[in-house]
Amino acid sequence: MRIAFLVAPEGVEQVELTEPWQAVIDAGGTPRLVSTRSGEIQAFNHLDKAGTFPVDETVGDASVDDYDGLVLPGGVANPDFLRMNGKAVAFAKSFFETGRPVAAICHAPWTLVEADVLRGRELTSWPSLRTDIRNAGGTWVDEQVVVCGKGPNTLVTSRKPDDLKAFCEAAVDEFSGGAGG
C-alpha cells in the first residue's frame, strides 16, 4: 500500500500529517510526501512553526497510478494554498476519477471543494467549512469520522486532531481494501 500525502510547502498541521503517516507505516504501507515544491515543507502546531519534513515528490511529477490512496492533512493555510494550485487540485481530483480512496481531515476538504468532487457525498470537517461543503453539493455532518462509500472511491473525513485515532483507523482500513469495515 503506497499512500500519497499531499501538502503545501507550509501550513500543514503537523499532528495531522505525522499520525496518519505513522498509521500507514504501522499497517505495512509506504507513505510519500507530495508537495507543490521540492525541498522541505514547514509544518505548524496551530499557528506556531513546528517541524520540517522532506518532500519525496512534487505534484507536477506525481502520478495517481503510483498510489493506492491519498491523505489530505489539514491546517488552516495548507488546503488554502493547495486549492490555489491547479496541479495540486488536479492530483487530488484524479484519485476520485480513478476510484482510489481519499482521506481528509480538518480544513483539508477545501481542496476537495475546489476539485468539485463533493457533490452527493456526506462528510465532516472543521465546522467553519460547513457552508463551503454544502455549496459544493456535499452534506456536512458533525461526527468524529465519516466514511462515504465503500471500496473504490471512498472518502474518509474527520473534524480535528482530537479525531485522529478514529480517522487513522478508518483511513488505513480503506487503504487496505476495507477489510475491517
Side-chain angles (χ1 to χ4, degrees):
M1 152 178 76
R2 192 167 151 142
I3 307 301
F5 281 70
L6 178 60
V7 298
E10 66 178 353
V12 67
E13 185 71 23
Q14 182 163 309
V15 71
E16 294 176 5
L17 170 64
T18 58
E19 285 197 24
W21 186 279
Q22 188 60 51
V24 167
I25 291 171
D26 291 347
T30 303
R32 302 257 306 155
L33 192 62
V34 178
S35 188
T36 56
R37 286 197 315 242
S38 61
E40 291 186 333
I41 61 110
Q42 174 67 61
F44 281 75
N45 180 9
H46 192 50
L47 299 176
D48 299 321
K49 284 186 177 181
T52 59
F53 299 88
V55 172
D56 294 310
E57 188 173 25
T58 64
V59 73
D61 294 330
S63 170
V64 68
D65 295 329
D66 293 334
Y67 296 100
D68 300 305
L70 173 67
V71 174
L72 295 168
V76 177
N78 180 54
D80 199 45
F81 288 138
L82 290 176
R83 70 191 298 196
M84 297 300 294
N85 183 292
K87 288 180 181 177
V89 172
F91 184 66
K93 187 173 187 166
S94 67
F95 282 81
F96 289 88
E97 293 170 343
T98 59
R100 289 170 169 83
V102 174
I105 187 167
C106 202
H107 288 79
W110 262 341
T111 305
L112 302 178
V113 166
E114 195 66 31
D116 194 26
V117 295
L118 298 182
R119 200 166 319 285
R121 293 185 172 273
E122 182 177 271
L123 64 153
T124 194
S125 67
W126 186 254
S128 65
L129 276 68
R130 176 179 41 235
T131 301
D132 296 329
I133 289 167
R134 287 180 180 155
N135 287 343
T139 300
W140 187 88
V141 295
D142 185 12
E143 295 179 18
Q144 183 179 40
V145 65
V146 175
V147 178
C148 182
K150 276 290 176 195
N153 231 358
T154 301
L155 176 61
V156 177
T157 53
S158 284
R159 303 168 298 189
K160 56 189 172 185
D162 289 347
D163 300 337
L164 274 165
K165 184 176 186 316
F167 176 74
C168 291
E169 289 173 3
V172 166
D173 182 53
E174 293 305 321
F175 296 148
S176 300

